[in-house]
Amino acid sequence: METEAGTSKEQNAINTDTNPFEIIEQKILALAQARPKGITDKDLIIEMPELPVKERAQIINKLLSQGHFDLFKQSGSLLYRLKDPSKAKIAKGADNEEKIVYSIIEEAGNKGIWIRDIRFKSNLMPTQLSKILKSLEIKKFIKAVKSVAASKKKVYMLYNLEPDTSVTGGAWYQDQDFEAEFVDVLNQQCYRFLEKKREQMNSCRGGPIMARNVTFASSKEVWKFISDLGISKVKLSVEDLEMILNTLVYDGKVERTLSSDGSILYRAIEPLLDSPGLIKSTCGVCPVRKHCYDIGDVTPTKCQYITEWLE
Amino acid sequence: MSVICRKLCSSILSEHFGQIVQRVAEDLFKHDARPLELICCTTHLPLTKIKEALCVLIKHGFVVYGQTERGLEYSLIHQNILLILRYPKYMFFVKTMCGDESEMILEEVLMSGYITASEVITKTYKKIEQSPSGLQPSVPVLKEKFELLVKNQFLTRSLCTDTVEEKTNEKPDFTLPDFNLAAVIKKIEGDNNSDPGDSKIYWKVNFDRLIQDLRDQIIVSAISRRLDENAGELMRQLLFLMYLRTASWAHTSNPIPLTEIKEAVKKINYPLLAHHLDQYLHLIEEDSSQFLKRVGESGGHFCVNMKEAFEQLAWATLENIVTERFGSKAARIFRLVRDKKYIEQEQIQQLAMIPAKEAKHLTYTLLQENYLQIQEIKKSGVSAAPIKTFFLFHIDLNLVVYMEVQHCYQALYNIMQRREYEISSNKRMIDKQLRMQTLTTNLKEHGATEEQLAEIADLMTPSEKQQLEKVQNTIKKLGITELQIDDTLFLLTMYLRYH
Amino acid sequence: MAGRGRGRGKPSMSISTEQLGFAKGETLPPPVLQPPLKYPLLEYKPLPLNITTELSYLFELKKGYAEYMRESPNNVLPVVVKKDIERYSDRYQDLITDKSSYEIRYDWNRMPIELKPQLRKRKEQTVESPKKKQKNIDVELKLQELEKKENSQQSDVEEEEKEEEETEEKDDEQVEEEEEELDEEMDEGTDYANNYFDNGEGYDDEDDNLDDGPIY
């Protein structure tokens, strides 16, 4: 960030009178406007593939230096976001402390920031801080959002921002509550689908490899099946469904493979082993095993679990 | 060695050899190698009894001795005691491979520790004579079966190598036995002066071979489960080809050429396998279990990867245990941590898609029970910022396997204790039934009438009979459970052997 | 009860309710007032045991083997000691059940000689490999030594017995080099008297003697 800012001055000189650059500038600004969450270099590459890297950097640097953009770092890549026009407003009607708090919250982006962290960064007294926050909230500069992570703590962010999925939890949350049952149902339905596919292999006559290949399903296929079932109130994305499919992988029921064309394939598998003999005995699942000795209250001869199990 | 392992071994010895042998072994457990006099000091047993017990222990391969500057010292090989748990499985395996007579021969050898060929054949002959199995005893057949056992390396010469220093460089000897067949027959007919000519040539069970066979069974059945019967059979053939070119217990086999695999598969009656051999090889190789590796530039060679196979099998076992002990959600977390190697709590709940509170509870339960370990990583951020600490969950496989091995020991010990208790608290009834049985057989031999026999049967009241049946079922259930727990113990021990 | 006695002031651990997963203000679970059950209800039951014919057969093998071993001489039984009455016949009993029982069951070529029920001295000559001889001699010497000590401490042994043994030992010292090969069958009878005395008398004293036996 600093280096880019450093080089921007000399490059500005070159850029000022070149027309095509201005068109590109407008394009980028329009793009940023369409995406209030911000745009990344990747987005720019996709939207304007013909733009050379060097020139792109020059333009971005120019826009940054002109104060059009705020620069954020999000999950390892840089994010350019159009400066909030409301900031101008706050500059007028607020005192210094409010400005500081506002800029701290602004910096946190759509992931929000906890009150404690604001306090640390601003060095304000708790009572004073909460007063400021309340005032900013009333003026609709900022808002408080309950985060699904870390036991529903409130985080603050700018009023016009759409909270990040890490705050809302995405499709799996309703009013900050994780919809465990919904996830479980989807988990079961996905498995049912893959299991059915596996059954098809019994009627496959084209040799073992072909038989195995009929068991594969891409995430898109599963997604379509689930969408057609109509069990979801919210619209799920393929990525959402991949999350569900991955839970099946962690359940040991499904295997994930990358196909040659880069799409992810899933298939139901049989476990390598039958359930181990150890857990067919009460001692295999005993919760008080650590208190079990030859003498005392818990002993193999007195054991109630064994007695019950022998009945 | 852990306390629970010691207690288990002790319990096994007591069941088979009685209190005195158990106490002598217990003493060796506690003190490692020691001379006769010291055993006498601590056990307070009569010297002759200690000597006799040591003889039993040496003959069955549980104790070895060696000359030291302190005199002749005895030490225990506790792993061999644990093998007793698996004797029935060895016998059964030999039965399926070499037939009923072979099984009986093996059983006799197991009962004796080591024994001469002529003697074991004589004993087996007599046993068949007395058994209602319908087998016809025949010395030539038994000799043949004995040789079959040697050819399959289930039996090996027992050389005079019970001393510690000689044990290490012992090479198994599978030279076929040589004895006078006619003399054995004469001996069976009652001529005690007949000499079969193989005195002092002893045979013992080659456990190493049988352990490998049971190990291979696990591999074959895992592949059968994962893919199908054809793939399982292919795996069996691959293991067979592995033996031809690889030292026992090598981590991976030496490369097996495709042509040889083809040859081997042709000889067995698996038409579908023969037809799709390349595809089946491909499937086993591609499977996530990774039992098989393709090697060489031409890709025409395959290696069986035993070490990797048992790592996969150990994981599968642990995952199953976690599922049954803590539920499927806990198992999901366990597999997730396995997959990610190191992972933070927050990620666990996100990826496992389990509500935060439940995910935390399950993760900490697994942590508390040592299925998960935690690692603290301190990361200092930008200069003045406070040091941030990350807590990462991970799994130490060896540690968890070791823990479950101990768990198996304890479960085995407990179930054995309980079985012993059930027997002793119903001893009177069991004894009564035994006496009645002997009486009935005796009377039958003397041509007793149906009435007389019925009279004896009536000595036990219906409620007694009911009670007896219940006790017998209890003992059977406990006994079978021991066999099952031992399966888990065996698999995990195999993992530890390779890792 | 953890934490008791650390007493006043700050608690040593500073885990807030929030860290335990409770939001501020959320009702905490009521305090546990009962002691935990000795056998809490099983949340997860063991999997059902499916008794197949194979397992039943394996169980029969297991049972059969254990029963055979327990009934066999491999089960070393304690000596029934009836000290107060019929001492003489007891000794005689021991002799039959004890001595004769296990000695003939082993091939003493491949067992430590010191484990023989009683060291029997005879002039059997078989040439063994030198290495082996060396080893056995050591054992022999050790035991000789031990026996001497044992005997010298035996206070209640009759004079006659002692003399007899001493003469025997002298004998032994001359022949010990040739003693590895011992033929069981030929043993019977010859050393009858010696065995008789040692077996009967030795039992109770052995422990005490060995306590002050050779020091290593």
Side-chain angles (χ1 to χ4, degrees), chain B residues 7 25 88 198-199 208 225 230 255-256 264 292 298 300 368 397 407 434-435 447 479 485:
Chain B
K7 279 162 79 178
D198 67 341
S199 70
D208 194 54
R225 261 188 85 101
N230 289 314
I256 306 165
L292 197 63
S298 56
Q368 198 185 354
L397 182 59
H407 190 177
L434 219 67
R435 279 199 307 276
I485 299 170

Side-chain angles (χ1 to χ4, degrees), chain B residues 140-403:
Chain B
V141 168
L142 286 175
K143 186 182 188 230
E144 218 171 86
K145 292 286 181 179
F146 187 93
E147 285 171 357
L148 186 62
L149 285 170
V150 177
K151 277 180 198 149
N152 276 296
Q153 306 192 351
F154 297 139
L155 293 181
T156 175
R157 278 285 300 277
S158 166
L159 307 163
C160 191
T161 50
D162 294 315
T163 51
V164 184
E165 62 267 32
E166 287 168 57
K167 197 98 198 160
T168 42
N169 45 32
E170 178 186 356
K171 276 231 168 71
D173 182 353
F174 301 109
T175 329
L176 286 181
D178 181 29
F179 57 87
N180 185 340
L181 212 61
V184 173
I185 295 171
K186 262 192 192 161
K187 209 169 184 176
I188 289 170
E189 284 162 356
D191 179 3
N192 279 332
N193 293 324
S194 130
D195 177 18
D198 67 341
S199 70
K200 299 196 166 58
I201 298 176
Y202 297 102
W203 297 86
K204 65 178 179 185
V205 173
N206 183 14
F207 288 110
D208 194 54
R209 169 79 241 175
L210 286 161
I211 291 169
Q212 290 183 55
D213 280 314
L214 292 199
R215 174 199 66 188
D216 294 351
Q217 270 191 336
I218 296 177
I219 300 270
V220 171
S221 80
I223 288 295
S224 301
R225 261 188 85 101
R226 185 44 80 78
L227 299 163
D228 64 15
E229 288 305 316
N230 289 314
E233 187 53 38
L234 173 58
M235 199 64 222
R236 191 193 309 279
Q237 296 302 322
L238 286 164
L239 289 169
F240 179 69
L241 293 167
M242 169 174 180
Y243 278 121
L244 300 180
R245 66 195 76 241
T246 316
S248 327
W249 302 109
H251 287 175
T252 53
S253 76
N254 290 323
I256 306 165
L258 180 62
T259 48
E260 261 185 64
I261 303 172
K262 272 187 183 147
E263 279 305 307
V265 168
K266 241 185 243 165
K267 285 182 203 145
I268 51 169
N269 189 22
Y270 278 81
L272 221 64
L273 173 58
H275 188 241
H276 294 299
L277 179 63
D278 288 334
Q279 294 196 17
Y280 273 114
L281 280 168
H282 187 73
L283 284 181
I284 300 179
E285 180 208 339
E286 250 193 9
D287 193 84
S288 57
S289 55
Q290 292 172 43
F291 289 7
L292 197 63
K293 251 186 340 204
R294 193 187 287 264
V295 289
E297 278 166 28
S298 56
H301 287 77
F302 291 87
C303 281
V304 178
N305 194 345
M306 280 288 179
K307 188 177 174 176
E308 179 66 31
F310 272 91
E311 177 159 346
Q312 297 296 330
L313 290 165
W315 276 116
T317 306
L318 297 180
E319 288 165 7
N320 269 328
I321 293 173
V322 170
T323 311
E324 296 311 321
R325 286 193 67 191
F326 309 105
S328 55
K329 290 273 160 67
R332 188 187 287 177
I333 291 176
F334 186 74
R335 284 200 193 81
L336 174 62
V337 179
R338 175 195 170 184
D339 186 65
K340 299 289 174 202
K341 302 222 166 49
Y342 287 89
I343 185 169
E344 271 187 287
Q345 175 66 58
E346 205 167 302
Q347 269 181 298
I348 290 178
Q349 58 221 39
Q350 267 170 26
L351 292 171
M353 302 193 79
I354 299 170
K357 213 187 255 181
E358 190 187 348
K360 262 185 203 142
H361 174 73
L362 291 171
T363 311
Y364 285 104
T365 306
L366 290 175
L367 182 70
Q368 198 185 354
E369 297 279 340
N370 277 321
Y371 289 94
L372 296 182
Q373 281 74 45
I374 204 163
Q375 191 161 321
E376 211 180 310
I377 288 173
K378 286 205 160 74
K379 200 174 169 187
S380 48
V382 205
S383 55
I387 292 167
K388 214 175 169 187
T389 314
F390 295 92
F391 291 101
L392 298 177
F393 292 91
H394 69 110
I395 300 169
D396 183 337
L397 182 59
N398 281 359
L399 192 100
V400 183
V401 170
Y402 181 76
M403 178 177 85

Side-chain angles (χ1 to χ4, degrees), chain B residues 15 17 37 40 47 49 51 74 87 95 103 110 158 160 200 202 324-326 357 476 482, chain C residues 26 44 47 56-57 62 65 70 74-75 77 79 98 102 107 109-110 114 116 206 210 216:
Chain B
E15 187 189 355
F17 301 94
E37 298 78 41
C40 201
L47 183 63
K49 288 290 154 191
K51 289 178 180 178
Y74 300 88
Y87 281 2
K95 184 193 182 81
E103 179 198 22
L110 286 172
S158 166
C160 191
K200 299 196 166 58
Y202 297 102
E324 296 311 321
R325 286 193 67 191
F326 309 105
K357 213 187 255 181
K476 183 173 177 179
E482 287 164 39
Chain C
E26 192 180 342
Y44 296 97
L47 291 177
S56 290
Y57 182 72
K62 177 183 165 74
Y65 183 77
R70 250 199 327 269
N74 287 307
N75 181 354
L77 295 169
V79 189
D98 229 51
Y102 88 83
D107 177 351
N109 281 311
R110 38 181 304 166
E114 66 171 22
K116 272 202 155 195
E206 268 161 358
L210 279 156
Y216 302 95

Side-chain angles (χ1 to χ4, degrees), chain A residues 187 208-209 212 250-251 255 270-271 273-274 276-280 283-284 289 294 300-301 307 309, chain B residues 7 225-226 276 279 286 288 317 320 324 329 332 335-336 353 407 410 413 418 421 477 481 484 488:
Chain A
N187 171 290
I209 287 192
R212 179 200 60 179
Y250 301 132
D251 284 339
E255 214 171 59
E270 284 292 318
L273 291 171
D274 228 345
L278 175 65
I279 47 178
K280 291 175 188 162
C283 303
R289 183 165 61 95
D294 292 330
T301 49
T307 309
W309 171 73
Chain B
K7 279 162 79 178
R225 261 188 85 101
R226 185 44 80 78
H276 294 299
Q279 294 196 17
E286 250 193 9
S288 57
T317 306
N320 269 328
E324 296 311 321
K329 290 273 160 67
R332 188 187 287 177
R335 284 200 193 81
L336 174 62
M353 302 193 79
H407 190 177
Q410 188 176 11
Y413 173 77
R418 184 61 179 241
Y421 167 78
K477 191 171 180 184
T481 304
Q484 298 259 294
T488 309

Side-chain angles (χ1 to χ4, degrees), chain A residues 233-244:
Chain A
K233 285 167 280 172
V234 285
K235 191 144 174 60
L236 295 172
S237 65
V238 177
E239 286 79 21
D240 287 335
L241 220 77
E242 277 171 3
M243 274 187 84
I244 297 283

